[in-house]
Amino acid sequence: MTVMIDGKKTASQIQSELVNKAQALKKAGLTPCLAVVLVGDDPASQVYVRNKHRAAQKIGIKTKDIHLPKETSQAELLKLITELNSDPTVHAILVQMPLPAQIDAEAMINTIAPEKDADGLNPTNIGHLFMDDPRALACTPRGIMTLLEKYQIEVAGKEVVIIGRSNLVGRPLAALMLNADATVTIAHSKTKDLKKIARQADILVVATGRAEMITKDHIKEGAVVIDVGINRLADGRLVGDVAQGDLDGYVSYLTPVPGGVGPMTIAMLMQQTLELAEKSR
């Protein structure tokens, strides 16, 4: 039988544990605060921001929710981030992406102070990660590593193939896997003979953003499959980047969509906010 990796349950357990940590910080005179900036009215982004706000409320993390109009200029956003960097009551900053076309996401990420980088995407933090000196971490990769640890899935010495090389998932996850002593291959849109590469994996992580792109033909029997994608089909169904229909009993572990990796991203954001608040002392 394939073991389904329950990210929703694991995230809930982690968030319950974080309540005590938040209370301890408050007793010490420190109220952890996450600033969440939303530019524009993208419906999906609004849902994500609401989910983060609710999770923070449950744990006891204060949120500073800032909603800017879609016409906001890059200079205005960077000025706001600079002000939040200087605000001692704010311990973590997250700018919800995607951003409107007039704003350069890279400039935004570079402006967030590394010590307040809730998403773990500032180049300083990425550099520390690749030097095996992790500070703030990208939340989705951190969530993946936490799931593997919770399910006692060994990483050291394993062949790990990551399909997708984004700055959000593929690249930082590769560094985390390397730091955990895995042998890592990153595949992408230019990779030749993707099926051959993918079938080498003991642990296959798929983050392509293309619905059900990876099929059973890409996967070695008994592999661990981590499906990062979430895509809505024309009929309204949510599916991942892996066609999961015929994998039961073929792979050893599998993250479902929804309910797999997704909930862990928010849990890691909350955990990182508390860690950044604690380090600020």
Side-chain angles (χ1 to χ4, degrees):
M1 287 287 292
T2 296
V3 176
M4 300 303 287
I5 298 176
D6 193 336
K8 187 175 181 180
K9 180 180 178 181
T10 305
S12 179
Q13 291 170 343
I14 290 170
Q15 290 179 11
S16 296
E17 295 166 3
L18 293 179
V19 171
N20 295 329
K21 293 183 180 180
Q23 289 175 346
L25 286 173
K26 287 181 180 179
K27 286 180 181 178
L30 182 65
T31 300
C33 177
L34 169 66
V36 181
V37 181
L38 174 62
V39 185
D41 301 301
D42 179 73
S45 292
Q46 289 178 323
V47 171
Y48 296 146
V49 167
R50 280 199 299 272
N51 290 342
K52 290 165 185 173
H53 179 79
R54 288 173 187 154
Q57 276 191 319
K58 288 180 182 178
I59 292 167
I61 295 172
K62 178 182 176 182
T63 57
K64 187 180 182 75
D65 298 313
I66 304 167
H67 189 179
L68 302 176
K70 64 181 179 181
E71 299 82 14
T72 298
S73 69
Q74 178 168 307
E76 289 170 326
L77 176 59
L78 299 188
K79 180 174 181 291
L80 170 64
I81 293 171
T82 301
E83 291 170 355
L84 293 172
N85 286 339
S86 302
D87 186 345
T89 68
V90 172
H91 305 106
I93 302 167
L94 183 144
V95 179
Q96 184 65 46
M97 292 192 278
L99 291 166
Q102 74 274 13
I103 298 176
D104 178 10
E106 184 177 351
M108 177 275 292
I109 291 169
N110 291 344
T111 303
I112 295 175
E115 65 273 14
K116 294 191 177 187
D117 181 17
D119 259 338
L121 298 178
N122 182 282
T124 296
N125 287 323
I126 294 293
H128 279 293
L129 171 60
F130 272 89
M131 294 298 290
D132 199 8
D133 178 30
R135 309 290 174 88
L137 297 172
C139 293
T140 298
R142 185 176 187 178
I144 292 168
M145 299 302 290
T146 301
L147 282 175
L148 294 173
E149 181 183 350
K150 293 288 185 182
Y151 278 78
Q152 299 181 327
I153 298 170
E154 185 64 45
V155 172
K158 297 297 178 67
E159 291 277 352
V160 175
V161 175
I162 302 167
I163 305 179
R165 54 179 169 178
S166 73
N167 291 334
L168 281 171
V169 180
R171 294 173 192 265
L173 180 60
L176 283 169
M177 290 288 188
L178 283 171
N179 294 347
D181 297 322
T183 299
V184 183
T185 300
I186 300 180
H188 45 78
S189 59
K190 304 297 184 185
T191 297
K192 296 179 180 179
D193 202 347
L194 179 60
K195 287 184 180 179
K196 179 182 177 181
I197 297 293
R199 287 184 67 87
Q200 296 173 0
D202 301 310
I203 301 173
L204 179 65
V205 184
V206 185
T208 64
R210 294 176 59 185
E212 299 185 324
M213 171 186 171
I214 301 302
T215 65
K216 189 176 181 179
D217 291 341
H218 293 83
I219 302 168
K220 179 172 70 174
E221 186 172 1
V224 176
V225 178
I226 306 296
D227 190 350
V228 182
I230 184 161
N231 311 276
R232 188 174 295 278
L233 301 182
D235 60 8
R237 287 185 299 123
L238 289 174
V239 299
D241 294 349
V242 178
Q244 298 192 7
D246 55 356
L247 294 183
D248 189 23
Y250 180 75
V251 300
S252 57
Y253 291 86
L254 177 64
T255 57
V257 177
V261 173
M264 291 298 294
T265 300
I266 291 181
M268 294 299 98
L269 172 64
M270 298 299 116
Q271 181 170 326
Q272 190 140 270
T273 296
L274 292 178
E275 290 169 352
L276 293 175
E278 193 167 20
K279 288 176 183 176
S280 75
R281 295 191 297 180

